[in-house]
Amino acid sequence: MENNKAFKNWLSDFNQEQPLLIAGPCSAETEDQVLKIAHQLKDSGTSVLRAGIWKPRTRPGNFEGVGAIGLKWLQKAKAETGLKTTTEVATPHHVELALEHDVDILWIGARTTVNPFIVQDLANALKGTGKTVLVKNPVNPDLSLWIGAVERFYKAGIIDLGVIHRGFSIYEKSKYRNNPQWQIPIDLQNRFPDLPLILDPSHIAGRRDLIADLCQTGLDLNYDGFMVESHIDPDNAWSDAAQQVTPETLIQIYNHLKIRKTTDSASEYNSSLHLLRSHIDVIDQKIIELMGKRMKTAEEIGLLKQKHNVAVLQSKRWNEILGKMILEGKQEDLSEEFTISLFKAIHQESIQHQKNIFKK
Ligand code: PEP
Ligand code: MN
């Protein structure tokens, strides 16, 4: 991916002043539904109409998409509105049909990105077509798998690439349907700054009231655009009803977003920022020193445990620390989620230090 400068080329076909907006129903249901939503989205800031034609459902027995007939509806919607179109492809046969029906952008779903064999088959099927491909993150939080899929398309000569962040599956109950884990797309963005990054707030949220906030977070983190599920009658959608919004709501969300600049040349901004950043640097230095001290103390405990032949992991003590730190963290305005992940990482490192002592 040496020449990743090419990546943002396809984005320049769209209005660069505004984040790219891809919108449309989770699934194409009927010709009438697709045409109606396309006309309603036409003047909403939307550039690309999305609709799932083949739906990968986690469990059988749910609506699995209308199939190839839906591609004709997308084609008609494009002819009537001028919107570009996009749909999910999961097999080389889907690719062939989507190409026949002139779909502009193909996206790779989260359940496909996890499988390098299928991704390779799709890359082979797309070779030489000049299509734009957007790769959703894999369902599991694995950055390499995501990068690997992008590399397979890139190696097949598909340079108009982008990625879609749709969150990662969660086992525990959470306010999100899929955990955003912002650090993963941020790491991807740092590695490939010219790879367009698109946020899918709909599949992260799973519910429509969280979409506006997620979009603002995306903009604050320099995302290039959004893919939002929008339906003419969300409550009666055949799939993902709870997370879809009407075109009116979508327009409201989009118009209320605060578009941020990447920087500002004002000297007052730069000198204040410089000062605050130097404070942060000093604090970060202290955090590292304290962590070093904590680990040295953990090693002393390790020696003591070794001498008395006591196990490294002491669950009762660990739960006490965690409970206490969550309360302390709250006093400092730290979220419970943050304190837990911070102390899990510290605890893991402590155990590692103690284990090293045991090995000696
Ligand atoms: C979708 O976009 O409707 C979809 C099925 O998405 P994902 O692959 O992110 O689950
Ligand atoms: Mn969906």
Side-chain angles (χ1 to χ4, degrees):
M1 300 236 280
E2 326 65 49
N3 180 19
N4 64 35
K5 277 272 175 280
F7 285 159
K8 278 196 177 163
N9 279 354
W10 65 270
L11 252 195
S12 60
D13 288 351
F14 301 96
N15 176 3
Q16 293 287 283
E17 305 287 303
Q18 295 278 336
L20 172 68
L21 184 55
I22 302 171
C26 177
S27 306
E29 297 164 4
T30 65
E31 177 171 349
D32 189 50
Q33 171 242 14
V34 171
L35 293 178
K36 269 199 185 127
I37 190 79
H39 281 279
Q40 291 185 24
L41 289 173
K42 186 167 64 99
D43 301 312
S44 69
T46 301
S47 304
V48 184
L49 175 69
R50 67 149 279 157
I53 301 294
W54 301 282
K55 300 302 299 175
R57 306 314 298 266
T58 303
R59 306 272 309 274
N62 292 314
F63 171 60
E64 298 203 327
V66 291
I69 179 87
L71 294 170
K72 297 217 181 329
W73 309 338
L74 276 182
Q75 210 166 11
K76 199 163 169 189
K78 169 153 68 170
E80 288 186 14
T81 62
L83 289 171
K84 292 200 186 238
T85 54
T86 183
T87 198
E88 172 174 349
V89 288
T91 68
H93 185 54
H94 293 164
V95 171
E96 196 183 312
L97 288 168
L99 293 176
E100 264 171 37
H101 291 84
D102 204 22
V103 176
D104 299 289
I105 298 174
L106 307 182
W107 91 73
I108 310 302
R111 292 163 196 76
T112 302
T113 308
V114 288
N115 188 326
F117 288 132
I118 303 183
V119 170
Q120 192 59 53
D121 284 347
L122 293 172
N124 297 343
L126 278 154
K127 209 175 242 170
T129 61
K131 283 286 160 186
T132 300
V133 176
L134 302 179
V135 184
K136 285 202 175 196
N137 66 255
V139 278
N140 54 323
D142 185 335
L143 177 61
S144 309
L145 210 45
W146 199 3
I147 291 175
V150 171
E151 283 171 340
R152 284 178 197 276
F153 289 107
Y154 191 68
K155 284 200 166 140
I158 297 139
I159 51 169
D160 287 342
L161 283 171
V163 289
I164 303 176
H165 171 213
R166 51 78 79 194
F168 302 88
S169 46
I170 336 176
Y171 185 59
E172 296 105 18
K173 206 174 152 9
S174 150
K175 78 169 176 175
Y176 296 115
R177 175 178 175 193
N178 289 291
N179 198 341
Q181 305 219 27
W182 298 100
Q183 197 54 48
I184 297 177
I186 289 171
D187 285 346
L188 184 73
Q189 198 182 35
N190 285 338
R191 295 261 294 270
F192 307 110
D194 290 303
L195 186 61
L197 174 57
I198 293 176
L199 180 71
D200 171 348
S202 310
H203 291 90
I204 292 177
R207 42 186 257 207
R208 58 186 73 103
D209 61 317
L210 300 177
I211 293 191
D213 269 2
L214 284 165
C215 287
Q216 188 58 56
T217 304
L219 271 191
D220 294 343
L221 294 172
N222 287 326
Y223 279 57
D224 297 285
F226 305 106
M227 180 191 262
V228 184
E229 287 190 342
S230 178
H231 194 283
I232 43 170
D233 180 9
D235 285 333
N236 292 304
W238 297 4
S239 59
D240 289 353
Q243 70 196 32
Q244 303 204 55
V245 294
T246 60
E248 296 80 55
T249 307
L250 180 65
I251 292 172
Q252 246 182 4
I253 292 174
Y254 197 61
N255 289 344
H256 278 87
L257 289 176
K258 290 193 189 61
I259 300 186
R260 319 277 194 205
K261 298 174 280 186
T262 45
T263 186
D264 191 301
S265 57
S267 65
E268 181 267 333
Y269 164 77
N270 281 293
S271 56
S272 303
L273 185 68
H274 185 75
L275 182 67
L276 290 168
R277 282 185 172 164
S278 63
H279 291 174
I280 290 273
D281 289 347
V282 171
I283 295 169
D284 284 349
Q285 188 65 41
K286 280 191 188 145
I287 293 176
I288 287 290
E289 277 167 24
L290 279 174
M291 287 300 143
K293 276 191 190 144
R294 193 191 193 281
M295 296 312 150
K296 293 271 172 311
T297 311
E299 284 169 13
E300 283 178 41
I301 295 181
L303 278 173
L304 197 64
K305 284 180 182 165
Q306 192 191 34
K307 190 165 153 214
H308 292 267
N309 202 24
V310 171
V312 167
L313 180 64
Q314 300 286 320
S315 303
K316 188 165 162 277
R317 163 78 178 149
W318 159 234
N319 285 325
E320 277 167 13
I321 294 181
L322 196 57
K324 206 165 96 189
M325 288 303 114
I326 289 172
L327 290 179
E328 296 269 350
K330 284 197 175 139
Q331 303 272 335
E332 296 290 338
D333 266 346
L334 303 176
S335 73
E336 183 165 333
E337 199 188 4
F338 169 74
T339 307
I340 292 175
S341 52
L342 175 67
F343 273 86
K344 272 188 180 165
I346 293 176
H347 186 233
Q348 202 53 47
E349 182 71 10
S350 280
I351 289 180
Q352 201 51 51
H353 279 253
Q354 294 194 15
K355 272 198 193 148
N356 290 345
I357 293 286
F358 271 49
K359 267 190 221 144
K360 284 179 199 160

